[in-house]
Amino acid sequence: MANMQYGFDLAAVGSLQAMPGFLKVFGYPDPTSDTGYAIDSTVQQLITSLLTLGSFVSSLVAGVFSTYLGRKYALWLACIVNAIACGIQIGTSTAGVLYLGRLLLGFANGFLVTFSNIYTAEVAPAHMRGVMVALFAYWVNIGSIMGAVVDNKTKERLDALSYRIPLSCLYIVPTLLFVALFFVPESPRWLLHRGKEQEARKALEQLRGKSYASLLASAGNESGDEGSVVPTLLEVEWVEMIKGVQEEKREQGSVSALDMFRGPDLRRTLLCYGMIGCQTASGVWFLIGYQTYFFTVCGITKAFEFSIMNTCFGFLGVNVGMYAISQLLGRRSILILGAIACGLCQLASAIAATVSPDTLPTGQTLVAFTALFMFFYNGCVGAASYPVATELGARYGYIWAASNLCCVVFFYFFMPEMKGRSLEELDEIFAARVPARKFKSYQTVIRVAARIDAANAKGVSQHIEKA
């Protein structure tokens, strides 16, 4: 739900800049424009970039907030700030106040995206974490489709309701999320870090349910060996989680924030930054923030409808990508494939705009390759980061084609395959400085030790029950 809100906002607000009703309030008359109005490029860029600035500010305080209050309270706070921000944007007719609303909404979205994905990564079973976290892109696209559809329904209005209706819809998801959080347990890992072991165990059991049976236990039962002691996956995960938290606490006294730039943690930090940088380098933020407006400027008559189509292509890509991640390819191969495809799409758009600018065939080419780009980006690369300005027109594709090539090199040589690994296992592998190409085959000590300890614990329990 949190990520759906993020997608709705991106699509809805990005398309507002092509609405006459919005441009009458925040733009200026322009007889040469098809809509009769235009918008200053500074206003246009601030509307988009202040959302990112708000997200950046939220990231600075997210660590301290989550350490003491947890993931659920952070999401509740985000829902409240979102309501305030939407009220400001709906009620104002001044650009300066609109900027404040965008900044606050960026803060709320930053908390929504950050803590929903942290929570998902912490509570998902290791073998499902890739798919679960990939739901980020899934729900962002659902929200984007809804935002684009709402804008398409209100675009013909010439009054303030043309943009106030889409902004009012931004209340829906946070309201549902605020209520739903009462029925969601806190992250077991966070509870363990706070010394609440009983609550952590209860939360893990609630999350896993009765279906979390071990394949190892099933194999032991089928063998007919009643004396064999085989732990359930729940016990293995629980012991592994405890061991990981204990190891972190053991080192906590000598750890500072600067340690993220030292030793084995430096590699993890650079990989995180590199991954986010590659998302931006794909060029997706130009399309997310400006595609409807860009289509309008290029003379495409059904700009809103094509934006909906491209969002649907992105949603299709997410579904294909999630299946490929879980069943066919790992994260590393998907990233390489996505960067190559996105780069080629950007290059094709740039060449078309260079060879035959401002023509109908070029416009059709831009729409087609934008749709393909959204498919491969959402299916392979994922969410994006900072927005890009629009001054270069369609020739911007040359820049993004080159940057996507750089992404391919980065993914191939530096991005390890982490499919099926628990967070505790990843800690051990990075600490051991295992090369990226050997991640997949590396056997971790913590997983073996967790199975032994869980088996011993179950064996003692069985003997007590027999006695």
Side-chain angles (χ1 to χ4, degrees):
M1 283 189 189
N3 296 315
M4 186 170 122
Q5 173 76 355
Y6 181 62
F8 189 102
D9 177 79
L10 289 175
V13 176
S15 296
L16 294 186
Q17 300 166 44
M19 284 186 180
F22 180 82
L23 296 175
K24 284 177 64 177
V25 179
F26 298 103
Y28 58 88
D30 182 6
T32 63
S33 173
D34 292 338
T35 61
Y37 294 90
I39 188 169
D40 186 84
S41 60
T42 301
V43 177
Q44 186 182 32
Q45 293 170 22
L46 285 174
I47 289 173
T48 302
S49 60
L50 282 173
L51 187 79
T52 304
L53 178 60
S55 299
F56 173 74
V57 173
S58 71
S59 69
L60 297 179
V61 300
V64 176
F65 193 98
S66 66
T67 299
Y68 297 101
L69 295 177
R71 286 62 169 124
K72 288 178 62 175
Y73 282 100
L75 291 170
W76 270 322
L77 175 63
C79 294
I80 295 172
V81 175
N82 177 91
I84 297 172
C86 289
I88 291 174
Q89 293 177 81
I90 292 170
T92 187
S93 58
T94 305
V97 180
L98 180 67
Y99 298 155
L100 174 62
R102 295 300 292 164
L103 186 67
L104 287 176
L105 191 62
F107 184 93
N109 281 345
F111 263 38
L112 287 171
V113 172
T114 298
F115 288 103
S116 63
N117 287 290
I118 288 176
Y119 181 90
T120 302
E122 288 183 342
V123 306
H127 67 286
M128 292 183 65
R129 193 174 64 250
V131 173
M132 295 295 291
V133 176
L135 286 172
F136 164 78
Y138 188 88
W139 284 104
V140 166
N141 273 268
I142 291 178
S144 296
I145 292 172
M146 294 176 65
V149 169
V150 171
D151 278 359
N152 187 54
K153 290 295 184 181
T154 63
K155 70 179 187 296
E156 302 298 338
R157 299 185 67 99
L158 298 179
D159 57 5
L161 286 178
S162 64
Y163 68 89
R164 286 177 175 171
I165 291 175
L167 290 175
S168 298
C169 290
L170 289 172
Y171 280 109
I172 298 173
V173 172
T175 301
L176 294 174
L177 180 62
F178 191 93
V179 175
L181 283 169
F182 285 101
F183 304 95
V184 176
E186 183 56 88
S187 165
R189 283 184 170 86
W190 182 84
L191 291 170
L192 276 177
H193 275 287
R194 303 303 298 170
K196 302 176 180 180
E197 188 168 320
Q198 290 185 345
E199 292 182 39
R201 174 67 188 220
K202 183 179 179 181
L204 183 63
E205 290 176 351
Q206 182 179 348
L207 288 163
R208 296 295 178 261
K210 297 180 180 180
S211 63
Y212 201 57
S214 171
L215 295 176
L216 294 176
S218 299
N221 292 335
E222 290 173 2
S223 67
D225 185 3
E226 295 183 0
S228 63
V229 179
V230 185
T232 64
L233 280 177
L234 179 66
E235 291 299 331
V236 173
E237 184 178 12
W238 174 246
V239 174
E240 190 175 294
M241 195 179 294
I242 291 177
K243 285 181 175 292
V245 172
Q246 289 175 344
E247 183 63 28
E248 289 183 35
K249 286 185 176 181
R250 191 177 299 116
E251 299 177 356
Q252 200 167 28
S254 59
V255 172
S256 68
L258 293 178
D259 283 336
M260 65 187 290
F261 301 106
R262 299 172 183 150
D265 285 335
L266 173 61
R267 180 185 178 190
R268 304 178 76 163
T269 301
L270 293 177
L271 284 173
C272 289
Y273 286 165
M275 187 66 248
I276 298 300
C278 287
Q279 293 169 356
T280 307
S282 69
V284 72
W285 263 99
F286 180 90
L287 301 176
I288 290 177
Y290 305 111
Q291 71 169 320
T292 306
Y293 179 80
F294 186 57
F295 287 163
T296 303
V297 171
C298 291
I300 297 172
T301 56
K302 295 184 178 181
F304 285 88
E305 289 83 349
F306 281 130
S307 295
I308 296 174
M309 180 194 75
N310 289 343
T311 307
C312 291
F313 267 99
F315 181 67
L316 177 62
V318 169
N319 285 272
V320 174
M322 288 175 61
Y323 177 78
I325 287 174
S326 61
Q327 303 295 332
L328 301 177
L329 302 171
R331 296 150 175 75
R332 186 169 174 266
S333 299
I334 285 289
L335 288 170
I336 294 173
L337 173 63
I340 292 173
C342 288
L344 292 175
C345 290
Q346 296 281 16
L347 183 61
S349 297
I351 292 174
T354 302
V355 174
S356 181
D358 302 325
T359 63
L360 180 59
T362 295
Q364 294 170 338
T365 301
L366 293 177
V367 171
F369 279 101
T370 299
L372 286 173
F373 175 92
M374 297 304 290
F375 175 85
F376 283 107
Y377 174 80
N378 285 282
C380 301
V381 182
S385 187
Y386 302 99
V388 182
T390 61
E391 282 77 7
L392 293 176
R395 294 180 183 85
Y396 71 94
Y398 288 122
I399 298 174
W400 304 128
S403 60
N404 272 288
L405 177 60
C406 295
C407 294
V408 172
V409 175
F410 171 74
F411 293 145
Y412 183 79
F413 287 104
F414 300 105
M415 182 60 63
E417 180 54 67
M418 295 176 280
K419 182 179 180 180
R421 300 288 191 177
S422 69
L423 298 180
E424 289 73 24
E425 283 186 289
L426 292 176
D427 287 340
E428 179 184 330
I429 297 174
F430 277 107
R433 302 178 186 272
V434 177
R437 297 184 184 182
K438 296 183 179 180
F439 253 63
K440 193 173 182 179
S441 59
Y442 189 83
Q443 298 294 319
T444 59
V445 175
I446 192 170
R447 171 52 63 113
V448 175
R451 286 179 175 175
I452 294 173
D453 288 354
N456 291 337
K458 185 173 182 181
V460 172
S461 176
Q462 286 181 354
H463 287 302
I464 292 174
E465 289 176 0
K466 288 180 181 180

